[in-house]
Amino acid sequence: MTVLSPPRPAVVDRALRDAKAWCAGHTIDDRPALVHAVRVAVTIGEHVPAPPQEVIAAALLHDAPDLAPPAPDVYEVLTAGYGPEVARIIAALQAEHQALDDPEPPICVDDQPVLLASAADKIVALTSLLRRARATGDVTGFFARRPVLCGLLPHFRAFQQAACPRVPASMSAHLDAVLARIEQVTAGILPASAR
């Protein structure tokens, strides 16, 4: 059983329904976008006993600002449908994603609902990247062709270390393990100053 197994709280059921509609036709990490959303929600449930339903709903909808049909304000739509907490978590995750383009992305670990969703999102995304790299048969080459991603690895490591005392130990260990595998295969790619 997962956090998405029936019976689900009504807000999670609605979020899953809307995620299916909004993700239709979109891909993330070379898979249907819904697969990514579901994996983020399930990952939270694997590490957090009885996670708040708002966090699971936000995990399912965290890419809504990019995928939902155009609206004057997607956050108004999310607030009306799911309440202010779900919209707030999604807005924070969206801001975090956009900040990855900054030279020094900030690391925020003081907001527990956002932190849980963010850590799960990173676990799912990095695990998917590692899976895709292995499928090519040239793991190092796969990452060498993604210098921006490789440049973000120290940021993801700093996030994992800052989040460690604030998330369940199993979640921190999961993120640590996937980062360690990627760091191992990219060790020859990154300049010493970035490691």
Side-chain angles (χ1 to χ4, degrees):
M1 290 200 32
T2 73
V3 293
L4 299 182
S5 298
R8 294 181 286 265
V11 69
V12 173
D13 210 41
R14 275 195 325 275
L16 184 56
R17 182 197 66 224
D18 283 345
K20 285 177 183 176
W22 295 345
C23 289
H26 297 282
T27 59
I28 295 176
D29 298 330
D30 289 342
R31 288 201 171 169
L34 182 63
V35 171
H36 174 80
V38 165
R39 285 189 174 160
V40 173
V42 168
T43 297
I44 293 167
E46 289 172 348
H47 297 289
V48 181
Q53 60 188 19
E54 293 83 6
V55 174
I56 298 304
L60 288 168
L61 299 169
H62 75 278
D63 288 313
D66 298 321
L67 305 179
D73 185 347
V74 71
Y75 296 105
E76 286 180 13
V77 172
L78 290 167
T79 300
Y82 298 97
E85 179 67 354
V86 171
R88 184 189 72 75
I89 294 167
I90 294 169
L93 291 172
Q94 188 71 9
E96 182 182 272
H97 287 173
Q98 291 171 346
L100 291 177
D101 293 332
D102 297 344
E104 296 285 330
I107 295 173
C108 304
V109 294
D110 295 332
D111 186 330
Q112 189 68 13
V114 173
L115 179 60
L116 293 173
S118 178
D121 188 31
K122 288 172 178 58
I123 289 167
V124 170
L126 293 171
T127 300
S128 179
L129 279 165
L130 195 55
R131 175 192 49 77
R132 287 168 53 208
R134 288 179 177 148
T136 68
D138 180 12
V139 176
T140 302
F142 176 91
F143 285 104
R145 290 186 297 276
R146 290 159 175 81
V148 173
L149 169 67
C150 290
L152 285 170
L153 291 176
H155 168 76
F156 294 143
R157 174 55 72 189
F159 171 89
Q160 183 271 326
Q161 290 171 344
C164 182
R166 294 175 170 89
V167 297
S170 63
M171 181 176 260
S172 180
H174 195 165
L175 182 54
D176 174 59
V178 71
L179 275 169
R181 288 192 296 269
I182 294 173
E183 288 165 343
Q184 182 179 22
V185 299
T186 59
I189 298 170
L190 294 173
S193 62
R195 280 186 239 139

